[in-house]
Amino acid sequence: MSNHVTEKYILALDNGTQSIRALLFDLNGGLVAKSKVDIEPYFSKQPGWAEQEPNYYWQMLTKACHELWPKLDALAIKKSQIKAAALTCQRATMVNLDANGLPLRPAVVWLDQREQNTLDKMSWYWRALFTMAGEKNTVTYFRSQAEANWIKHQQPEIWQKTHKFMLLSGFHSFKLTGNYVDSVSSQVGYLPFNFKKHRWSASLDWRWQALPITKDMLPTLIPCGDELGKISEQAAIDTGIPKGLPLISAGSDKACEVLGSGCLTPNIGSLSYGTTATYNTTNNKYVEAIKRLPAYPAAMPNNYNTEIIIQRGYWMVSWFKREFGLKEQQIADYQGIMVESLFDDLLKQVPAGSMGLILQPYWNPGIKTPGPEAKGAMIGFSDVHTRAHIYRAIIEGIGYALREGKELSEKRSKVKITQLMVSGGGSQSDEAMQITADIFGMPAQRPHTYETSGLGAAINAAVGIGLFDNYQSAVNKMTHGGDVFTPIAANKAIYDELYRNVYQKMYARLNPLYRSIRSIIGYSK
């Protein structure tokens, strides 16, 4: 049993989409203390918009910290034993700050779907080059989705006052240290960022013309493991974190999940069952799973995460529970149990393959595969199907899409996956884990802790302040395998047939219909 009096600890702050957590880890990767504050993911002033006040995030982060400290007192842990802090955040949520560091408008949350279709004209050179390269539509899509372009055109007075335009991770880093800094590995969004070289784009790069952003509006980028700054006096007052504690650069939430799951090499696949579902591998080479869609910075310097994204992954599970799960919620409330256990019971009621009900989880369109015309689809209905079949088909559909991502990643990287780690909220379901093993046809393993994004950030901090010599030694010490789910042969055979002969053909067959819907309705989201 560890001696809390002499132990060294790392504080990880994790601002996700649904909650903010303050987590204390020991150097064995043990979660010693935790506080969790649920948050409102966003508010919508118009259909398709998703915004939240930056100061709301900050207030909830300070609340999470203050709820953690009594738990340390109960364990006789002193704040002086915390040797560093690290921050990991949801990706692609953008904040405008004025010259005094105050928010000018609500943050645009990554779930926001607005577009800016009237754009400033780029130079003839870039227009001609993109047309010849067949990338005109890709660049137009990038520009129309960019929050900066929408704000500049729709709220020009706010854009003129914008001193800094940064991700939520940069905003929190500023509030914690007083410095306009952010992690290299948090840069996921519509920004002038060079994904190969992990720095802001060169001065003649096309992104500076595609976006209204200037370099002085952006924060200084700090590699993972380096110091962002020290906790300021004001931040210490607001949060209770000791003044002067080093804040170490860490990855985004997805990058930290990959690291916290122990996935350091391209032969280990990392599934994340969160609001967004992702499949990732870590590679020291730049590999795009889909051409022109970048590999994101890993939570280790000079490494990349080759990623496949299902934008509305386990959001669909939340949608199902909200729209069709009132019965289970009422039973759970009456019995005083977790509602998730009752949804696992729904999965158990239905055989593998959901009796022919197949879901394509494209609730959000994409840019390549799926394309901007894509829609979600469910086919194969008959009179035998119930709510339970729909629920299982959602879980299976997410699994099919991520398996497709795995195979695409293997083909591009020329490295076969030999191990599969699964993290995120959905991984807490034993039934979802078994479905994953059956669809992928290989053992699926949970990490030892559910808090893998926080653990990844803690690993960044532990390496950064020299408690470990390198990431391999830190991962060996701080990450551990949890429950393993092995494929059931009969289920695997059914899933292989449905995946090859039905799921993989759905998008091409339905694509013309999606285009017609978009043409008739005029709304692609």
Side-chain angles (χ1 to χ4, degrees):
M1 192 170 182
S2 64
N3 183 352
H4 287 318
V5 176
T6 59
E7 194 92 31
K8 295 176 181 177
Y9 300 100
I10 302 293
L11 174 66
L13 304 172
D14 184 350
N15 189 159
T17 303
Q18 311 274 358
S19 67
I20 297 179
R21 298 181 291 284
L23 311 162
L24 195 73
F25 288 95
D26 63 27
L27 298 188
N28 292 310
L31 180 58
V32 178
K34 167 183 174 178
S35 69
K36 176 185 175 184
V37 176
D38 291 329
I39 61 174
E40 287 294 328
Y42 60 86
F43 56 81
S44 295
K45 293 179 180 178
Q46 292 191 34
W49 290 19
E51 298 179 320
Q52 187 52 270
E53 296 295 341
N55 285 330
Y56 170 78
Y57 288 122
W58 175 247
Q59 288 161 9
M60 294 301 103
L61 185 146
T62 64
K63 182 179 180 183
C65 288
H66 284 294
E67 290 184 3
L68 181 70
W69 307 133
K71 299 179 181 182
L72 270 59
D73 294 338
L75 294 168
I77 296 173
K78 298 177 181 177
K79 288 184 181 179
S80 60
Q81 293 174 257
I82 303 173
K83 299 306 175 184
L87 168 74
T88 184
C89 286
Q90 57 179 275
R91 308 185 300 191
T93 292
M94 301 305 306
V95 179
N96 297 66
L97 299 180
D98 68 13
N100 297 313
L102 300 175
L104 285 162
R105 68 177 315 282
V108 182
V109 178
W110 65 271
L111 288 161
D112 192 277
Q113 298 177 26
R114 77 190 81 182
E115 296 178 347
Q116 177 58 38
N117 293 314
T118 302
L119 298 162
D120 296 334
K121 189 175 285 190
M122 295 180 70
S123 71
W124 69 268
Y125 170 81
W126 286 117
R127 284 184 281 129
L129 194 64
F130 290 139
T131 300
M132 287 189 292
E135 297 295 341
K136 180 182 177 182
N137 290 340
T138 301
V139 174
T140 300
Y141 181 85
F142 172 92
R143 299 185 71 201
S144 70
Q145 296 297 308
E147 301 86 356
N149 279 327
W150 189 93
I151 297 169
K152 191 239 178 178
H153 283 270
Q154 303 299 327
Q155 298 176 333
E157 71 289 349
I158 286 176
W159 191 252
Q160 288 173 4
K161 294 177 184 175
T162 299
H163 176 62
K164 293 293 179 183
F165 187 64
M166 57 208 310
L167 291 157
L168 177 60
S169 50
F171 173 71
H172 278 323
S173 296
F174 168 66
K175 295 290 285 186
L176 287 164
T177 67
N179 302 329
Y180 289 117
V181 292
D182 199 3
S183 169
V184 166
S185 297
S186 290
Q187 304 313 302
V188 177
Y190 297 102
L191 292 164
F193 181 73
N194 187 318
F195 286 98
K196 284 187 180 179
K197 296 184 178 180
H198 290 173
R199 65 191 188 201
W200 296 126
S201 298
S203 58
L204 296 179
D205 190 279
W206 64 271
R207 292 172 184 85
W208 297 111
Q209 278 200 31
L211 301 166
I213 301 168
T214 56
K215 193 169 184 180
D216 61 347
M217 297 170 71
L218 298 168
T220 300
L221 297 182
I222 307 295
C224 277
D226 285 3
E227 188 177 296
L228 291 164
K230 293 192 171 15
I231 300 299
S232 68
E233 183 175 0
Q234 186 59 52
I237 293 169
D238 291 346
T239 65
I241 302 172
K243 177 187 174 184
L245 190 74
L247 181 68
I248 303 301
S249 175
S252 65
D253 56 358
K254 294 296 183 185
C256 281
E257 273 189 304
V258 178
L259 179 60
S261 298
C263 302
L264 294 186
T265 53
N267 66 300
I268 306 176
S270 172
L271 290 180
S272 171
Y273 285 161
T275 306
T276 294
T278 57
Y279 172 83
N280 271 287
T281 55
T282 302
N283 205 320
N284 58 14
K285 297 177 182 177
Y286 182 84
V287 178
E288 295 176 347
I290 299 173
K291 188 179 179 182
R292 300 287 183 247
L293 296 185
Y296 296 136
M300 294 190 299
N302 307 313
N303 276 262
Y304 306 91
N305 285 152
T306 300
E307 181 173 285
I308 296 292
I309 299 175
I310 310 302
Q311 193 77 7
R312 293 272 181 159
Y314 268 66
W315 174 92
M316 286 186 286
V317 173
S318 300
W319 167 80
F320 176 88
K321 291 175 180 177
R322 184 178 67 247
E323 300 298 333
F324 303 105
L326 178 60
K327 176 183 174 183
E328 283 74 21
Q329 189 62 62
Q330 289 174 335
I331 293 172
D333 291 344
Y334 179 74
Q335 295 183 359
I337 60 175
M338 294 289 287
V339 71
E340 282 73 20
S341 64
L342 298 178
F343 284 104
D344 258 15
D345 290 341
L346 279 184
L347 295 176
K348 292 175 185 175
Q349 294 172 22
V350 178
S354 301
M355 299 183 75
L357 196 61
I358 313 287
L359 176 130
Q360 183 179 267
Y362 296 157
W363 258 239
N364 254 44
I367 183 171
K368 293 279 188 178
T369 303
E373 78 292 331
K375 295 283 186 183
M378 190 176 285
I379 64 171
F381 273 107
S382 71
D383 60 0
V384 302
H385 290 121
T386 66
R387 283 185 321 132
H389 293 85
I390 294 172
Y391 185 54
R392 187 173 181 110
I394 289 172
I395 303 298
E396 291 173 342
I398 296 168
Y400 291 140
L402 291 171
R403 173 176 167 175
E404 192 170 47
K406 165 191 169 286
E407 293 175 356
L408 189 59
S409 180
E410 286 177 326
K411 182 179 179 181
R412 295 282 292 174
S413 67
K414 298 179 173 60
V415 177
K416 280 283 185 183
I417 302 304
T418 59
Q419 186 178 352
L420 188 65
M421 302 297 293
V422 189
S423 59
S427 70
Q428 294 183 89
S429 162
D430 286 357
E431 292 302 311
M433 288 294 297
Q434 186 60 57
I435 290 170
T436 301
D438 294 343
I439 288 178
F440 278 74
M442 64 187 300
Q445 184 173 26
R446 282 193 283 241
H448 76 279
T449 178
Y450 161 62
E451 298 291 355
T452 45
S453 55
L455 177 58
I459 291 171
N460 282 137
V463 173
I465 62 171
L467 295 176
F468 294 98
D469 292 335
N470 53 55
Y471 281 95
Q472 186 65 66
S473 60
V475 164
N476 290 345
K477 188 76 171 176
M478 295 182 73
T479 68
H480 316 283
D483 300 323
V484 179
F485 296 79
T486 56
I488 297 168
N491 293 352
K492 177 184 179 298
I494 291 169
Y495 285 132
D496 280 344
E497 288 283 332
L498 289 172
Y499 173 71
R500 295 292 182 202
N501 297 320
V502 182
Y503 180 83
Q504 286 198 300
K505 297 177 180 180
M506 280 179 70
Y507 182 62
R509 301 274 177 90
L510 291 172
N511 187 274
L513 302 181
Y514 295 151
R515 293 180 183 276
S516 294
I517 291 171
R518 189 183 191 194
S519 174
I520 295 164
I521 303 299
Y523 184 61
S524 63
K525 299 301 177 86

